Amino acid sequence: ATAAPALSVKGITVGYQGVPAVRDLSFEVHPGEILALLGPNGAGKTTTLLASVGALPVMSGQISALGAPIDRRIERTSRRGLALVPDSRGVFRQLRVQENLALSKRRGGPPVESVFDHFPKLKTLLRQTCGNLSGGEQQMLALGKVMLQEPKVLLIDELSMGLSPIAVQDILPRLRAIATEQAIAVVLVEQHIDLALAIADTSLVLHHGRVALAGPAERLRRDRQLVEAAYFGTT
Ligand code: ATP
């Protein structure tokens, strides 16, 4: 009884040099929904994100985003409203915060100042060199930069890579609020499982490229043994 999915992945098999890294994967994300994409190292999470933006060809299956099949001409991806935040966070460490934000500003897009509505702290950091920011501040900047693209589908690859749970605790609830307010469909790859499940609507655990577990995030929150079994491939 809801709108059409913003991102729809149907039975995709995708890999490298003809060797599948992800097999027969299906999921949907609706506007304003967050899907937590979980799984151990090498499970195929990054591969899934890259295929979802059209950067990797699928060997079989279909992907559509915002009502049309995904375009392999990835220069169109951002214009179509899809955005990918890499695990390096897409931040230039040598540059100041204001320069990093300016580089993401788009003609006709929202002003740089609109980022401060979500992340007021960034306003106080404008002249700081990004390499000197804390991990949590870099996360804010990474999300702030991507918000200037006004994405409708947002794919996030371990935004909190290398950060402590404390540093992550602040950013994920803000991501939740932004997704809801702006009706953005989010796929969140995250190693902090509990924090990801706390803000997600749905969840999916990959193991060796296959779905080991999928369902409402709330169910996985309540049954952590189920999640652990899926991580270890014993389901
Ligand atoms: P991580 O958390 O370690 O990034 P992941 O779940 O994102 O793991 P992927 O990076 O998608 O996993 O990798 C899935 C599988 O595909 C792994 O077995 C990996 O070795 C393989 N793989 C990834 N990139 C390539 C590549 N460029 N060429 C060949 N194989 C690759």
Side-chain angles (χ1 to χ4, degrees), residues 15-17 19-22 39-48 87 157-158 189 191 206:
Y16 305 90
Q17 289 92 40
V19 181
V22 168
N41 286 343
K45 305 180 297 295
T46 300
T47 302
T48 301
D87 54 15
D157 199 357
E158 288 184 54
V189 170
Q191 292 294 357
L206 283 180

